Amino acid sequence: MKALKSFAVINALVITLFSSQSVFARKKCQMDVSTNNISLTLGSFGSTVPGSVSMVRRKSADSFICYMYSYGFGTGNANSFTRFLVNSRGERIYYNLFKNGNKIVEISDQTPISTTFWGWSIGNQPAVKSFDLKVETNSNSTYPAGTYSDSVAVKLYSGLPGSPLVLEDTKNFTISLNIPSEISLSLVDVGSAFDPADTHQTMDFGELTTGESMEADLKVLSNSGYRIYMESANKGKLENISEKSKISYDLFINGAKKRLKKKKSEVAEGSGSTPTSGENHRIRVVIGNVSGAKAGVYTDNITITAEAK
């Protein structure tokens, strides 16, 4: 009976010691992480943009495990590793972060070292590691104007995946992209495609008759809301170039009659980004009563401008 009692006590002591060992966590290695914000432009689309993070020690490494460190990158706006920049209206532009061709993710004790963003350093000098950012969108598409951003948390761990990791420090860096408002106009024959080089139309009515009409298409390519203005040199009338005689005409935009009495008259508007083919506004001019008009050449010049809302 005494032998059995002794065995039971030894067994209990082994279990207690094992349990106590798992409670003690490894001390921090006193490392800090430093990050830099990244500003993108439209020229960044389809290009690789460099970024970097730095590890700085507050004291010399006192063990082999403190020579080693790993980085984990949070998900930012996306809550996944399909990352995106977002503007105030919730519109997105997708991007991702890469190291050696692999997407950078958060890490754990089980993350393979071959896919991890890691390094080692003995001294106290800052250890800089670089990574790549790539905007994963079509540079030929039209993206809405605005400021897009994302904030990504960078976590610095001492140790390597496969060994117990200790979180040393966390810092956020911001990625931002400003897309300015852009508007292009094209004045083309009815049914023709947007042509940035085609910004002039001549409506030649020949011999004028009452009620005669001609049409053209005004196409607008924009990445923001816009307003279209027209200004008539003769305040909405055709003027004889050699005699004091005028002929009225009516101007319609998308079927709605517009008056060009003011110096600058708003005639159309649009909201948000247009299709890449442009947004179409049909222009129709109808000649008024020509009875009693003097013979001669009658003209008017209409200037069309656009502004972002």
Side-chain angles (χ1 to χ4, degrees), residues 213-234:
S213 67
M214 293 190 74
E215 295 181 336
D217 281 345
L218 172 65
K219 292 189 178 291
V220 183
L221 186 61
S222 173
N223 64 354
S224 66
Y226 62 87
R227 293 185 177 89
I228 301 297
Y229 299 91
M230 288 186 175
E231 183 176 350
S232 164
N234 301 325

Side-chain angles (χ1 to χ4, degrees), residues 3-305:
L4 289 175
K5 185 177 181 180
S6 175
F7 176 78
V9 171
I10 292 172
N11 190 45
L13 180 61
V14 171
I15 293 172
T16 301
L17 288 174
F18 181 81
S19 178
S20 297
Q21 187 178 13
S22 65
V23 170
F24 295 107
R26 177 170 59 81
K27 291 183 179 180
K28 287 187 174 184
C29 296
Q30 312 240 353
M31 301 174 175
D32 291 330
V33 62
S34 175
T35 63
N36 296 302
N37 295 332
I38 299 175
S39 295
L40 305 174
T41 66
L42 285 174
S44 305
F45 282 28
S47 301
T48 298
V49 179
S52 66
V53 290
S54 300
M55 184 279 292
V56 181
R57 297 186 189 280
R58 280 179 274 128
K59 72 170 204 173
S60 299
D62 54 11
S63 66
F64 176 77
I65 199 68
C66 286
Y67 295 157
M68 309 294 181
Y69 59 92
S70 307
Y71 290 110
F73 283 63
T75 55
N77 294 324
N79 292 322
S80 74
F81 294 104
T82 302
R83 304 176 187 275
F84 59 78
L85 307 169
V86 65
N87 66 14
S88 59
R89 297 181 297 275
E91 294 156 329
R92 301 176 179 181
I93 293 178
Y94 287 87
Y95 77 97
N96 227 308
L97 305 175
F98 299 88
K99 179 66 176 177
N100 297 328
N102 296 313
K103 287 184 181 180
I104 300 175
V105 299
E106 182 56 281
I107 62 174
S108 69
D109 292 351
Q110 288 73 46
T111 306
I113 192 170
S114 60
T115 61
T116 302
F117 192 7
W118 68 279
W120 68 278
S121 172
I122 297 176
N124 291 344
Q125 295 300 315
V128 181
K129 289 289 181 181
S130 61
F131 60 89
D132 296 324
L133 182 153
K134 189 170 184 179
V135 180
E136 299 179 332
T137 46
N138 185 347
S139 60
N140 294 320
S141 297
T142 301
Y143 292 96
T147 299
Y148 296 75
S149 64
D150 193 12
S151 180
V152 178
V154 180
K155 296 180 180 179
L156 173 65
Y157 299 90
S158 56
L160 287 176
S163 66
L165 297 175
V166 172
L167 179 62
E168 298 282 341
D169 191 20
T170 302
K171 292 285 193 321
N172 282 52
F173 72 94
T174 299
I175 304 164
S176 60
L177 168 65
N178 182 55
I179 298 182
S181 297
E182 294 184 349
I183 304 174
S184 297
L185 301 178
S186 180
L187 201 53
V188 298
D189 295 336
V190 171
S192 297
F194 182 95
D195 180 356
D198 195 352
T199 58
H200 183 269
Q201 279 281 307
T202 299
M203 291 185 175
D204 187 349
F205 287 87
E207 186 173 339
L208 291 173
T209 58
T210 301
E212 186 179 2
S213 67
M214 293 190 74
E215 295 181 336
D217 281 345
L218 172 65
K219 292 189 178 291
V220 183
L221 186 61
S222 173
N223 64 354
S224 66
Y226 62 87
R227 293 185 177 89
I228 301 297
Y229 299 91
M230 288 186 175
E231 183 176 350
S232 164
N234 301 325
K235 296 184 178 180
K237 292 185 181 295
L238 296 172
E239 260 188 32
N240 193 311
I241 63 173
S242 57
E243 299 281 349
K244 288 186 177 180
S245 179
K246 296 181 180 181
I247 297 174
S248 64
Y249 65 86
D250 291 326
L251 183 138
F252 298 84
I253 305 293
N254 298 327
K257 187 175 179 179
K258 303 295 178 180
R259 295 174 62 86
L260 302 182
K261 298 291 186 183
K262 298 179 182 178
K263 185 175 181 180
K264 187 177 179 181
S265 303
E266 182 179 337
V267 297
E269 64 176 355
S271 300
S273 294
T274 64
T276 55
S277 59
E279 198 162 80
N280 192 65
H281 298 278
R282 180 65 50 83
I283 300 172
R284 182 167 176 253
V285 175
V286 181
I287 301 300
N289 188 358
V290 299
S291 299
K294 295 181 179 180
V297 176
Y298 289 77
T299 66
D300 190 16
N301 289 312
I302 299 173
T303 303
I304 305 173
T305 57

